[in-house]
Amino acid sequence: SLSSKSKGILQLKNLSIEYEVIPQVSPPELIDTIPNNHYSFREDSEKGVGLIDLYEFFDDDEGKANITFSILENHTDILAFINSSTHSIDFISAENYFGTSNFHVRATDKDGLYTDSNIFNVMVTPTNDPPFLTTFETMDLAHERDTFELEIYEGMTSCFNFSVWDIDRDLPY
């Protein structure tokens, strides 16, 4: 502070001020919530690859390329993987699974600061799989190396029991 006991003009010569700029470091920013009930892919397909581009939802004061992503919650029926080259989330589902699971993502910058996304869900929609025979009881089958054939000719009658399974459970009973 400068002060004077008398009135007048204070003149400063060769004034030198030193200062240090301390950069403000902030975590990545969630610029938009990840929509809930918006993302889906079909059962038994590869359509869950690249489903969500995380650059659409996160930013960082030092650029998006400084962000790494991680999945905070994973499930056994729908698995999520971060594809770092495309900055997106790839999803795969268990075979013949359909349903919904919740996820959320963490964005971490090079300083170790992070921001978590909102919780969002991803749905696997069903595909109508064809039914298949599961068991045969007492039949005369011609077989050669684990391949079985059943030949039925016109006019031939044959009785046998079998079971049919439909993974989608949409056969009439």
Side-chain angles (χ1 to χ4, degrees), residues 16 21 23 55 63 66 92 96 114 117 130 141 152 165-166 169-170:
S16 174
V21 175
Y55 276 10
N66 291 310
I92 59 170
N96 294 313
Y114 63 87
S117 76
L141 295 173
I152 300 176
W165 172 250
D166 182 16
R169 297 177 194 91
D170 61 355

Side-chain angles (χ1 to χ4, degrees), residues 46 51 54 74 102 114 133 142 149 155 161 163:
E46 297 293 325
L51 196 61
L54 294 171
N74 231 329
N102 293 326
Y114 63 87
L133 298 175
E149 295 178 7
N161 295 321
S163 298

Side-chain angles (χ1 to χ4, degrees), residues 69-171:
F69 298 100
S70 56
I71 303 294
L72 296 179
E73 188 174 335
N74 231 329
H75 305 276
T76 56
D77 294 322
I78 305 176
L79 295 175
F81 302 94
I82 299 295
N83 184 329
S84 58
S85 65
T86 61
H87 44 80
S88 63
I89 308 176
D90 296 342
F91 294 92
I92 59 170
S93 67
E95 185 177 5
N96 294 313
Y97 171 80
F98 56 91
T100 303
S101 292
N102 293 326
F103 297 91
H104 63 288
V105 175
R106 175 167 287 170
T108 306
D109 66 14
K110 67 178 184 171
D111 297 311
L113 301 173
Y114 63 87
T115 300
D116 295 342
S117 76
N118 57 296
I119 295 174
F120 59 94
N121 64 36
V122 173
M123 175 186 281
V124 179
T125 57
T127 299
N128 190 9
D129 297 307
F132 55 91
L133 298 175
T134 57
T135 59
F136 286 97
E137 293 180 17
T138 315
M139 293 176 50
D140 291 328
L141 295 173
H143 62 86
E144 185 175 307
R145 292 189 198 170
D146 297 336
T147 301
F148 294 91
E149 295 178 7
L150 173 63
E151 294 181 10
I152 300 176
Y153 301 99
E154 187 177 341
M156 182 177 157
T157 59
S158 180
C159 291
F160 56 91
N161 295 321
F162 63 93
S163 298
V164 175
W165 172 250
D166 182 16
I167 197 76
D168 300 314
R169 297 177 194 91
D170 61 355
L171 283 177

Side-chain angles (χ1 to χ4, degrees), residues 24-85:
Q24 291 250 339
V25 180
S26 58
E29 179 186 1
L30 181 65
I31 54 178
D32 199 0
T33 57
I34 300 174
N36 201 22
N37 298 318
H38 180 76
Y39 297 103
S40 66
F41 64 100
R42 295 197 52 82
E43 163 200 349
D44 302 330
S45 76
E46 297 293 325
K47 298 299 183 192
V49 172
L51 196 61
I52 301 174
D53 181 353
L54 294 171
Y55 276 10
E56 292 180 23
F57 304 102
F58 289 95
D59 201 357
D60 189 62
D61 54 358
E62 296 183 33
K64 292 182 183 197
N66 291 310
I67 303 173
T68 58
F69 298 100
S70 56
I71 303 294
L72 296 179
E73 188 174 335
N74 231 329
H75 305 276
T76 56
D77 294 322
I78 305 176
L79 295 175
F81 302 94
I82 299 295
N83 184 329
S84 58
S85 65

